[in-house]
Amino acid sequence: MIAGADVFLDTNVLIYAALGSADEPAKYERAVELLTLRFGTSGQVLAEFFVNAQRKGARPLTAEEAQEWVFRLSKKPFQAVDYKVVRGGIENARRYQISYWDGAIIAAAERLGARIIYSEDLNHGQIYGSVRVENPFLPTA
């Protein structure tokens, strides 16, 4: 296990941090705030980010800008997509009836030792194994 991340940031959080100031200012501010935490990510998230950051938003990133983000983000605690993550992704997908890709995010977060996954894609408040999902963009009560 590679330790060192309190939280795991999913692709959408990183996309809002990179692109959101014009399209989604409130989500941009929250995403940038999350970048100050001890966060980790995975090879899957960085690959998804690289592709989607060049396609989404009013002003998508250039390939060079997206690559620079990936280089910077990869300096944080980082879980490679290895056999254990793939196997865990499959097991999570079957156990929780979610996509393999979401299952692999959970497996990677657990391997990094994160307790929280910040994501819009998984069920807010749900506990998957040893991690809890929080949607950081929901209004606070």
Side-chain angles (χ1 to χ4, degrees), residues 121-138:
D121 296 334
L122 291 158
N123 294 327
H124 176 71
Q126 185 163 344
I127 296 172
Y128 298 91
S130 64
V131 296
R132 184 179 77 246
V133 172
E134 291 186 16
N135 182 338
F137 308 116
L138 291 178

Side-chain angles (χ1 to χ4, degrees), residues 46 64-76:
L46 296 183
E64 293 76 22
E65 290 168 329
Q67 181 180 14
E68 182 58 33
W69 269 86
V70 169
F71 286 161
R72 281 194 229 140
L73 292 167
S74 68
K75 294 182 186 306
K76 296 292 186 174

Side-chain angles (χ1 to χ4, degrees), residues 17-37:
L19 304 178
S21 61
D23 297 335
E24 298 272 1
K27 289 182 178 183
Y28 164 77
E29 288 180 27
R30 180 67 174 129
V32 169
E33 180 182 312
L34 293 174
L35 292 179
T36 66
L37 301 176

Side-chain angles (χ1 to χ4, degrees), residues 95-118:
R95 178 177 180 189
Y96 301 112
Q97 299 296 299
I98 57 177
S99 75
Y100 161 77
W101 304 110
D102 288 341
I105 293 290
I106 294 164
E110 288 183 314
R111 295 263 325 270
L112 282 176
R115 295 287 176 226
I116 298 171
I117 298 172
Y118 284 109

Side-chain angles (χ1 to χ4, degrees), residues 8-21:
F8 187 97
L9 300 184
D10 199 357
T11 310
N12 50 26
V13 174
L14 302 176
I15 292 287
Y16 288 125
L19 304 178
S21 61

